[in-house]
């Protein structure tokens, strides 16, 4: 097994409410089902995280709360910098600052930052899954990346893409 695994989970499908602040949007029923599906996938594939860093937005928190029902307890921290829609640079800094000694680290966050970071870090792995990730990183999409070394050593191309799971592929 590699030294570390990084899991990047995009929040599940949220409602689009008029007059509602983006930060406060809850999950739609479809999103609730997808979050449960992804939690089950993680459990079935031995991907229980040691540490969860979660955006404090309502939809990301709900995504993790639902997925977590399928997994053993983990240390969870809400980090404001994960409420990011940029190029993934802020997410990388969060990993470096908060990853600590976690062997398997899960970020529950937003797009396009999750997609950019996953593509930037994945220097090897299944080309077909990389293409899928490039085409679309759907709500509740999960990238699983392996990294040999500490979190401070994360850099462009330093990870292997082990899996890219999408709810629609899991039934």
């Amino acid at each position: 097994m590699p030294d570390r695994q990084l899991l990047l989970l995009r929040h599940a499908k949220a409602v689009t409410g008029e007059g509602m602040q983006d930060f406060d949007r809850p999950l739609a029923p479809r999103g609730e089902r997808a979050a449960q599906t992804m939690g089950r996938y993680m459990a079935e594939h031995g991907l229980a995280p040691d540490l969860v860093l979660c955006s404090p937005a309502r939809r990301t928190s709900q995504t993790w709360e639902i997925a977590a029902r399928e997994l053993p307890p983990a240390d969870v921290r809400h980090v404001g910098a994960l409420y990011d829609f940029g190029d993934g640079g802020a997410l990388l800094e969060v990993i470096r600052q908060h990853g600590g000694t976690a062997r398997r680290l899960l970020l529950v966050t937003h797009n396009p930052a999750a997609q950019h970071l996953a593509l930037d870090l994945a220097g090897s792995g299944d080309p077909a899954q990389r293409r899928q990730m490039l085409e679309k990183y759907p709500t509740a999409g999960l990238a699983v990346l392996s990294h040999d070394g500490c979190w401070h050593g994360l850099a462009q191309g330093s990870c292997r893409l082990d899996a890219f799971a999408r709810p629609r592929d899991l039934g």
Side-chain angles (χ1 to χ4, degrees), residues 96-145:
R96 289 176 176 158
Q97 289 177 14
H98 300 276
T101 59
R103 290 286 185 202
R104 187 173 293 120
L105 175 62
L106 170 65
L107 266 63
V108 188
T109 189
H110 307 269
N111 234 18
Q115 181 180 29
H116 287 307
L117 182 61
L119 289 168
D120 190 46
L121 292 176
S124 63
D126 184 335
Q129 288 189 329
R130 185 175 166 79
R131 274 192 304 279
Q132 286 177 343
M133 196 167 57
L134 179 62
E135 289 169 11
K136 184 173 184 182
Y137 204 115
T139 52
L142 175 72
V144 180
L145 300 149

Side-chain angles (χ1 to χ4, degrees), residues 1-149:
M1 181 175 162
D3 286 344
R4 308 265 189 269
Q5 272 190 320
L6 175 64
L7 290 75
L8 297 172
L9 178 62
R10 181 181 176 195
H11 66 79
K13 182 75 175 168
V15 301
T16 53
E18 284 189 33
M20 187 181 300
Q21 295 292 322
D22 179 72
F23 189 86
D24 298 324
R25 292 189 305 132
L27 292 183
R30 182 177 120 199
E32 292 175 0
R33 291 188 299 275
Q36 182 180 17
T37 297
M38 296 316 289
R40 194 174 309 119
Y41 172 85
M42 291 169 63
E44 290 170 356
H45 289 86
L47 298 172
D50 304 316
L51 175 60
V52 178
L53 301 177
C54 186
S55 161
R58 185 171 179 189
R59 61 190 179 274
T60 48
S61 296
Q62 285 183 316
T63 297
W64 172 245
E65 288 166 10
I66 293 169
R69 295 175 192 156
E70 307 291 329
L71 296 158
D75 182 14
V76 180
R77 299 180 198 156
H78 289 86
V79 180
L82 292 176
Y83 185 66
D84 179 60
F85 304 93
D87 64 3
L91 275 56
L92 185 57
E93 283 307 308
V94 167
I95 294 166
R96 289 176 176 158
Q97 289 177 14
H98 300 276
T101 59
R103 290 286 185 202
R104 187 173 293 120
L105 175 62
L106 170 65
L107 266 63
V108 188
T109 189
H110 307 269
N111 234 18
Q115 181 180 29
H116 287 307
L117 182 61
L119 289 168
D120 190 46
L121 292 176
S124 63
D126 184 335
Q129 288 189 329
R130 185 175 166 79
R131 274 192 304 279
Q132 286 177 343
M133 196 167 57
L134 179 62
E135 289 169 11
K136 184 173 184 182
Y137 204 115
T139 52
L142 175 72
V144 180
L145 300 149
S146 293
H147 175 68
D148 290 318

